[in-house]
Amino acid sequence: MAETRSTCCYCGVGCGVIIEHDHGHITGVRGDPDHPANFGRLCTKGSTLHLTATPATHAVRALYPELRTDRAASRARTDWDTALDHVADRFAAIIREHGPDAVAFYLSGQFLTEDYYVYNKLAKGLLGTNNLDTNSRLCMSSAVAGYKQTLGADAPPACYDDIPATHCLFISGSNTAFAHPIVYRRIEDARAANPAMKMIVVDPRRTDTAEQADLHLPLLPGTDIALYNAMLHVMLWEGWINDDYIAAHTEGFDALRKLVREYTPDMAAGICGLRKQDIETAAEWFATSPATLSMYCQGLNQSTHGTHNNAALINLHLATQQLGRPGAGPFSLTGQPNAMGGREVGGLANLISAHRDMANPAHRAEVAALWGVPSVPDKPGYSAVELFRAINDGKVKAVWIACTNPAQSMPDQSMIHAALQKAELVVVQEAFGHTETARYADVLLPATTWGEKTGTVTNSERRVTRVRSAVPAPGEARHDWQIGVDFARRLGKRLGDLCNGALAEKLFPYTHEEQVWMEHRESTRGRDLDITGLSYRMLEEQGPQQWPFPEGATQGKVRLYEDGVFPTKSGKAQFVATEHRPTAEEVNARFPIRLTTGRLRDQWHGMSRTGLTARLYAHEGEPLLHLNPSDIERRGMKDGELARVKSRRGDIVIKVLATETVRPGQAFLPMHWGANAMSGFGINTLTVPDFDPYSKQPELKHAAVQVEKYKASQHMVALGVPGDNALATLEALRPALASLPQGSLTLAGRDKPIVVLRAEADELSSQLLEQVDAALALDDDTQVLSYRDSRRDIGKRARLDGDKLAAVRLTGETKAAGWLQNMVVGEGSATEARKWLLAPLAEPPGGAQARGKVVCNCFDVSETDILAGFKGGESLEQVQGRLKCGTNCGSCIPELKRLAASCKG
Ligand SMILES: Nc1nc2c(c(=O)[nH]1)N[C@H]1C(S)=C(S)[C@@H](COP(=O)(O)OP(=O)(O)OC[C@H]3O[C@@H](n4cnc5c(=O)[nH]c(N)nc54)[C@H](O)[C@@H]3O)O[C@H]1N2
Ligand SMILES: Nc1nc2c(c(=O)[nH]1)N[C@H]1C(S)=C(S)[C@@H](COP(=O)(O)OP(=O)(O)OC[C@H]3O[C@@H](n4cnc5c(=O)[nH]c(N)nc54)[C@H](O)[C@@H]3O)O[C@H]1N2
Ligand code: SF4
Ligand SMILES: [Mo]
């Protein structure tokens, strides 16, 4: 057995992991005790990483290059030479005919810095197009623009050590407990150590994070600017601002001061749907605390005024000098593991290397000189939404998509799917071949992924960490950067003197990722993110380091702007006069519900990886629309019934979940459910493609929708697994899911995963039922128990494996599905079920219940069991002592506290 230190490939906290393996297979993972991001801790997702790398996952891995030359045909396996030559031929032909702006790259904040660097140079240096954008456009681009407009550079000034040093933590638009769990563990520690520390949470929903706050401001979605302006109004009125600091280190305050005069707490209370006193309290705590740290994420960024949401909050830090010292600062939490690295290499359509500006001729000349090319293009490329529109318009003919799944994650999915259909050439470079986007690939290029890759990433606190490979690439998968280099050389040969084709060999000489990184390092010399003092060797010997870390330094910079000097022309920070603006879509009589979207604790984005691990479904196991009970009742519905949710762009059918965490008139959808998990194109069918004018980040957090009861006359639940690979069964059932008006396809169970297909339709065709039975081995009548009541339209089919229930299909009445699922998963005796299966009963036998949600994933403890403890008078400590819940990774602690509080009240 061997161990390899690496980094978790999920969120921007950037936790260090130790991969346990036998050089061939990954067998386990644990937190790296020496890593400064997590000191040994991991959350539910990080601690199950090894389960996404089992041999069974090969059923869905992209293992070999695949190609189709005819759109109507399906792809066939090919070799790398054929695949890359084909793509190079097509790219060269399109560029020759239409110019370099007719091709585009759409990449990812989950690329390593080395991957990113190669593709950036390929597009901007070799081809001369800035059509290179990434999913960071959906994620961090408002944070980038917000920092640049105010502080002058895209650099989060704070760090994790500011958490224990702060006296007031202002969390806005961030469900830290779910989305940055290990940061949240640090927050819990800091609050335990300093009970006087205040925590304010600004979020329309009462999330687990908000639940723990000293002050929760459940503002109406999209009204942050009004709130922050009003807080500044109060600070001015009370004399809580720092005039000396403003005079010495900032510019633009007068315009802002004038503007916020009208933002009285009363006025903002009306716009935001908040209490005036709460706005005043927030202003007081923020301004008068010895050190205030804000943490924010997509609730601010994913908005048509996302840049100004960021700037309005940073304004407060500048006005009160809450930055540049321990425990204070505006700390934008990074979403993806290497969105920061992407920003560093200039991996967006409007950036160039090392935080340089495309619009600045001197910056362009510097990059051109570094690369040894005559020039880099000055025309900004298409940003994510613009790019897919340009494909739809036929302006972009070929698109190369890598390490992101736009056919699930982009807003307005109908437009995205139409674009992918329309494109002349779609290249998808993926580690997992089953994604929604991979279906559109004319060429599928298999990439290595976590556990196999090597390079570097930068986390939220500017800390550069090594990612290392533990096991070899599966099949013929290759590293992302290598694919880019190989392609660049092939394309160069075909382009010749066109673009910078003749220089391709010289531009892409790399044989090792470290060479790529060294070039990136050189590009940062003298820039705000200077890392010329770092090396792979140093990261190896001394562990992860923060930037800037210029040559000659012995340590990176823990915290920025301590001297009050900012990387702007004047050296002063800039206030931005930010005004409240409506969201792109406001609610009205036809679309009366404000829909927001976001994350679940245990799933990652489109679920290509977390969706392979059954236990990660246990917390919220199927697509659900979170809705206030009063809104459910008003529609004549009950918890768990189906609703049709409609926006101006399309509709989905989904079960409702009654929850007080959303206020009346609002709804929440987890962002994870795409076409692989539910019928149609998934939840992003509903979201708006409108974007912020500065950052071009689309408004994924706000849409106006209508919600109506949906009634299907037929129901089906089919569950089980025929062999030992549930993932293969999942794949086999995908066509069935796609043919349904409403349905979902998920995993359940723990060590022995099973597949669960739920379906609702006015008619379940015999063809569909046959398909389902075949996939679950319920098709051999001699092996199957079968009951049919045609008068009541109730059907039951089950396969037993000895005395155990192995698979079930219920049609007509599905109330017993949860009970049967427990039985299949629990592998208990099926004696009782056998009787039930052959009887006209529809409901499960008395008392038998579905197990319900699993709160603690480490120890598999359900909400039912936890609540029984609290209701029986046990304290949190007693419940934890008995059931062990929350005593390992701690991701469920906020929820345990909430459940405890709910039983007290
Ligand atoms: N479990 C898990 N963790 C993840 C990820 C994942 O997929 N799963 N993804 C990672 C990535 S890439 C990202 S970007 C981060 C995202 O991390 P977060 O931004 O923390 O997560 P979200 O759930 O998208 O949104 C945060 C909150 O914004 C609130 N919100 C909605 N509208 C508004 C508004 O107008 N104002 C305010 N103040 N708040 C609003 C929502 O109710 C939601 O609770 O998570 C990272 N971590
Ligand atoms: N409604 C709504 N939509 C949202 C959001 C929201 O809050 N609400 N959030 C947005 C945000 S913040 C983000 S960041 C995006 C994320 O959206 P996506 O980028 O689409 O999310 P992922 O599913 O993480 O996609 C990464 C893909 O890369 C593949 N992959 C993994 N490792 C590797 C590798 O090493 N190499 C290659 N080539 N491929 C690999 C994975 O299998 C996966 O398919 O979603 C956005 N969409
Ligand atoms: S908090 Fe969880 S998902 Fe994020 S890096 Fe750490 S272990 Fe990975
Ligand atoms: Mo993100």
Side-chain angles (χ1 to χ4, degrees):
M1 291 312 265
E3 292 185 344
T4 302
R5 285 191 144 81
S6 190
T7 310
C8 175
C9 59
Y10 295 125
C11 84
V13 178
C15 297
V17 295
I18 296 177
I19 306 174
E20 300 159 1
H21 60 95
D22 61 7
H23 298 287
H25 295 106
I26 294 175
T27 52
V29 64
R30 60 178 204 277
D32 180 350
D34 298 326
H35 197 289
N38 59 319
F39 299 106
R41 289 158 151 179
L42 294 177
C43 75
T44 42
K45 295 181 300 300
S47 60
T48 48
L49 264 171
H50 59 296
L51 300 176
T52 69
T54 61
T57 60
H58 282 206
V60 292
R61 277 298 294 267
L63 295 171
Y64 305 97
E66 291 177 10
L67 171 67
R68 68 172 166 215
T69 43
D70 171 6
R71 259 294 157 89
S74 54
R75 284 190 310 262
R77 179 175 165 181
T78 185
D79 56 70
W80 275 103
D81 282 334
T82 311
L84 289 180
D85 280 338
H86 174 78
V87 183
D89 284 342
R90 295 295 309 275
F91 263 60
I94 291 170
I95 291 168
R96 216 167 270 289
E97 193 177 349
H98 305 281
D101 290 336
V103 302
F105 295 86
Y106 184 59
L107 313 174
S108 168
Q110 294 166 66
F111 253 13
L112 307 184
T113 303
E114 294 75 2
D115 302 330
Y116 245 128
Y117 189 88
V118 164
Y119 284 83
N120 204 44
K121 192 173 183 183
L122 167 57
K124 297 171 187 175
L126 179 72
L127 298 185
T129 178
N130 285 319
N131 283 343
L132 176 145
D133 216 49
T134 78
N135 60 1
S136 287
R137 187 69 65 185
L138 317 180
C139 182
M140 301 314 295
S141 62
S142 295
V144 174
Y147 274 140
K148 286 174 78 165
Q149 283 190 4
T150 53
L151 308 182
D154 172 25
C159 63
Y160 298 148
D161 278 343
D162 285 322
I163 299 169
T166 195
H167 294 261
C168 174
L169 184 62
F170 188 87
I171 299 180
S172 184
S174 150
N175 186 6
T176 331
F178 277 22
H180 296 94
I182 299 304
V183 160
Y184 200 73
R185 298 286 83 74
R186 287 195 164 189
I187 295 173
E188 286 168 343
D189 292 348
R191 296 180 85 198
N194 175 14
M197 177 183 147
K198 297 280 193 255
M199 182 164 116
I200 305 172
V201 173
V202 185
D203 194 310
R205 296 187 303 137
R206 198 160 179 87
T207 58
D208 279 3
T209 312
E211 183 69 34
Q212 302 300 318
D214 298 296
L215 178 63
H216 173 210
L217 299 172
L219 81 180
L220 285 171
T223 63
D224 289 83
I225 294 175
L227 169 64
Y228 309 146
N229 283 358
M231 286 169 65
L232 187 57
H233 178 104
V234 175
M235 293 172 188
L236 277 160
W237 178 259
E238 298 287 349
W240 289 329
I241 60 164
N242 187 330
D243 290 312
D244 294 343
Y245 186 82
I246 293 171
H249 301 288
T250 73
E251 287 170 345
F253 191 61
D254 286 341
L256 180 62
R257 184 200 298 266
K258 231 187 255 152
L259 177 87
V260 302
R261 219 171 266 156
E262 63 177 288
Y263 285 83
T264 61
D266 268 324
M267 179 226 198
I271 295 176
C272 304
L274 293 171
R275 295 191 317 182
K276 179 179 162 222
Q277 306 89 289
D278 289 344
I279 299 175
E280 289 165 347
T281 308
E284 181 180 351
W285 290 358
F286 191 112
T288 63
S289 118
T292 298
L293 181 69
S294 62
M295 285 184 168
Y296 48 98
C297 204
Q298 299 313 328
L300 297 196
N301 296 351
Q302 289 170 339
S303 156
T304 44
H305 42 261
T307 304
H308 280 189
N309 284 341
N310 277 259
L313 180 54
I314 296 171
N315 283 340
L316 299 183
H317 284 277
L318 290 171
T320 54
Q321 202 198 344
Q322 291 288 11
L323 80 168
R325 60 172 194 285
F331 195 178
S332 149
L333 296 174
T334 319
Q336 299 177 88
N338 198 33
M340 287 285 289
R343 289 143 74 177
E344 289 159 22
V345 305
L348 281 170
N350 55 328
L351 300 177
I352 43 176
S353 306
H355 289 178
R356 287 181 178 87
D357 271 322
M358 188 175 286
N360 182 330
H363 283 181
R364 286 200 307 277
E366 282 167 22
V367 174
L370 263 164
W371 285 345
V373 295
S375 65
V376 291
D378 59 352
K379 183 176 141 226
Y382 294 118
S383 69
V385 173
E386 295 170 315
L387 167 58
F388 283 88
R389 284 182 179 157
I391 298 172
N392 251 325
D393 294 344
K395 289 185 195 133
V396 168
K397 320 263 176 212
V399 60
W400 181 307
I401 300 168
C403 203
T404 177
N405 183 14
Q408 190 278 331
S409 55
M410 287 280 293
D412 192 6
Q413 279 297 314
S414 307
M415 187 270 277
I416 302 298
H417 284 253
L420 290 168
Q421 194 69 48
K422 172 109 193 243
E424 284 176 24
L425 177 69
V426 178
V427 180
V428 176
Q429 180 174 327
E430 247 292 345
F432 294 86
H434 69 307
T435 68
E436 288 84 349
T437 307
R439 278 183 219 157
Y440 289 93
D442 298 304
V443 185
L444 180 68
L445 304 175
T448 53
T449 185
W450 179 86
E452 300 149 10
K453 296 185 77 155
T454 140
T456 56
V457 292
T458 308
N459 75 4
S460 278
E461 61 163 1
R462 296 171 275 107
R463 196 178 288 279
V464 183
T465 307
R466 285 280 278 122
V467 166
R468 293 186 190 81
S469 59
V471 294
E476 290 177 9
R478 290 187 183 173
H479 298 320
D480 287 301
W481 71 267
Q482 286 175 329
I483 301 171
V485 167
D486 191 348
F487 172 70
R489 292 183 191 159
R490 286 173 205 257
L491 183 60
K493 285 204 188 86
R494 285 161 177 81
L495 290 176
D497 285 335
L498 202 62
C499 304
N500 288 318
L503 300 174
E505 296 284 334
K506 201 176 123 256
L507 291 179
F508 297 91
Y510 324 109
T511 53
H512 190 277
E513 67 277 3
E514 190 172 358
Q515 296 164 311
V516 181
W517 185 82
M518 293 295 281
E519 195 176 306
H520 162 59
R521 181 180 85 163
E522 192 49 37
S523 77
T524 68
R525 190 176 293 279
R527 305 283 309 154
D528 69 300
L529 72 165
D530 194 326
I531 53 165
T532 46
L534 289 181
S535 65
Y536 264 31
R537 180 146 161 233
M538 178 179 182
L539 294 172
E540 215 68 58
E541 286 168 359
Q542 296 175 39
Q545 303 294 332
Q546 283 176 287
W547 60 249
F549 200 125
E551 202 170 353
T554 51
Q555 200 197 328
K557 216 170 196 160
V558 175
R559 199 169 288 107
L560 306 181
Y561 315 134
E562 284 168 313
D563 54 3
V565 178
F566 293 88
T568 55
K569 264 198 203 108
S570 60
K572 294 182 177 188
Q574 306 292 312
F575 282 102
V576 179
T578 50
E579 281 206 73
H580 167 71
R581 302 234 182 276
T583 52
E585 257 183 18
E586 293 284 282
V587 289
N588 60 22
R590 236 184 108 218
F591 296 100
I593 299 276
R594 292 170 211 270
L595 173 72
T596 192
T597 61
R599 272 123 189 111
L600 293 175
R601 191 190 72 187
D602 292 354
Q603 291 295 353
W604 178 261
H605 299 163
M607 302 165 58
S608 68
R609 203 188 326 242
T610 49
L612 309 179
T613 303
R615 69 178 65 173
L616 294 179
Y617 288 84
H619 195 238
E620 186 155 325
E622 60 180 310
L624 296 171
L625 176 78
H626 298 213
L627 203 59
N628 190 275
S630 65
D631 283 318
I632 295 181
E633 205 176 303
R634 185 164 310 131
R635 286 165 177 76
M637 298 174 61
K638 289 205 257 330
D639 187 20
E641 287 186 341
L642 287 178
R644 184 193 289 284
V645 189
K646 193 170 170 188
S647 80
R648 288 179 180 84
R649 290 152 298 283
D651 62 81
I652 61 168
V653 176
I654 189 168
K655 256 187 213 174
V656 297
L657 172 75
T659 169
E660 300 280 356
T661 56
V662 289
R663 291 167 81 174
Q666 299 180 17
F668 172 78
L669 274 174
M671 63 158 297
H672 311 286
W673 311 111
N676 272 352
M678 68 188 284
S679 309
F681 295 152
I683 75 100
N684 273 321
T685 304
L686 302 169
T687 46
V688 304
D690 303 61
F691 50 76
D692 177 279
Y694 310 102
S695 70
K696 312 251 172 120
Q697 180 158 353
E699 192 153 70
L700 287 158
K701 284 279 179 279
H702 311 289
V705 297
Q706 53 177 252
V707 178
E708 281 164 8
K709 187 171 171 141
Y710 175 87
K711 202 137 181 64
S713 45
Q714 293 286 329
H715 309 267
M716 175 185 77
V717 176
L719 52 94
V721 59
D724 55 6
N725 193 340
L727 300 179
T729 311
L730 213 53
E731 290 310 296
L733 283 169
R734 292 220 196 281
L737 178 74
S739 70
L740 289 161
Q742 200 286 328
S744 67
L745 185 59
T746 55
L747 293 179
R750 199 167 163 86
D751 298 325
K752 267 191 72 183
I754 64 161
V755 178
V756 184
L757 175 69
R758 303 172 191 83
E760 333 270 338
D762 284 331
E763 200 206 318
L764 296 170
S765 68
S766 51
Q767 191 197 347
L768 175 97
L769 296 179
E770 278 163 24
Q771 210 171 13
V772 171
D773 288 349
L776 291 174
L778 284 165
D779 49 352
D780 180 350
D781 281 334
T782 62
Q783 305 281 312
V784 167
L785 293 179
S786 170
Y787 171 85
R788 176 136 198 93
D789 175 343
S790 33
R791 194 176 49 83
R792 289 193 299 155
D793 227 351
I794 289 178
K796 309 178 190 179
R797 256 179 112 72
R799 178 166 50 83
L800 282 95
D801 185 2
D803 181 37
K804 297 193 174 67
L805 197 57
V808 186
R809 162 162 75 70
L810 303 178
T811 46
E813 184 52 78
T814 57
K815 285 203 186 84
W819 170 61
L820 293 166
Q821 179 176 319
N822 286 350
M823 206 172 289
V824 177
V825 166
E827 297 185 88
S829 155
T831 317
E832 218 184 330
R834 185 191 283 270
K835 272 187 274 166
W836 180 89
L837 283 162
L838 296 172
L841 301 169
E843 308 254 345
Q849 272 187 358
R851 180 149 178 263
K853 166 179 184 178
V854 169
V855 172
C856 171
N857 224 319
C858 297
F859 295 110
D860 196 22
V861 186
S862 75
E863 185 178 71
T864 321
D865 294 341
I866 294 163
L867 282 173
F870 291 139
K871 284 182 186 141
E874 281 182 315
S875 68
L876 179 58
E877 291 68 33
Q878 285 167 319
V879 167
Q880 288 196 290
R882 190 165 56 80
L883 300 170
K884 294 183 29 191
C885 45
T887 57
N888 184 42
C889 86
S891 296
C892 64
I893 289 173
E895 193 168 353
L896 292 174
K897 288 187 179 159
R898 175 164 60 74
L899 293 174
S902 75
C903 290
K904 260 189 222 138

